[in-house]
Amino acid sequence: AKCQCKLPPKDRTNCGYPGISAAECKKIGCCFNASTPSVPWCYTPKAKKVKKVCPNDPYTRINCGYPGITAKECTKRGCCFRARPAGVPWCFYHRVMEE
């Protein structure tokens, strides 16, 4: 993503080799910006920001527990707990979303 490449030149970490082309740099998953001399032009992008969320749609839940699990036991496993509706897992895994 373009926002991952918005790094001040002083914070760039080299990701390529001397003379690497923009195409080759991007092909290996790195950012390329040759506008500032004396800093890496092919550099490592910022890490993606992710967050864990409990899915809203009860029919997309992936079971993380067992029948009769308590909310406390479920959250101790690091999962979401919602005791409704019937017929779907009440203890279920988070979804990882990019911010």
Side-chain angles (χ1 to χ4, degrees):
K2 283 186 178 183
C3 62
Q4 289 178 264
C5 290
K6 289 186 179 179
L7 276 172
K10 65 179 179 58
D11 293 342
R12 294 180 185 175
T13 303
N14 195 15
C15 191
Y17 52 86
I20 191 170
S21 69
E24 188 63 30
C25 178
K26 290 174 183 174
K27 190 173 167 183
I28 60 172
C30 301
C31 302
F32 189 89
N33 182 334
S35 65
T36 308
S38 304
V39 297
W41 291 357
C42 181
Y43 55 96
T44 307
K46 286 191 279 188
K48 289 182 181 180
K49 289 185 178 180
V50 295
K51 62 180 177 178
K52 287 182 173 182
V53 295
C54 296
N56 289 327
D57 182 354
Y59 300 100
T60 62
R61 294 177 182 173
I62 299 170
N63 198 359
C64 181
Y66 51 85
I69 192 170
T70 65
K72 187 177 181 180
E73 291 169 327
C74 179
T75 54
K76 198 188 281 187
R77 290 178 175 217
C79 295
C80 303
F81 186 86
R82 290 199 189 120
R84 62 193 186 294
V88 296
W90 289 2
C91 181
F92 50 97
Y93 289 101
H94 290 92
R95 280 246 163 75
V96 176
M97 307 283 287
E98 281 186 35
E99 289 183 341

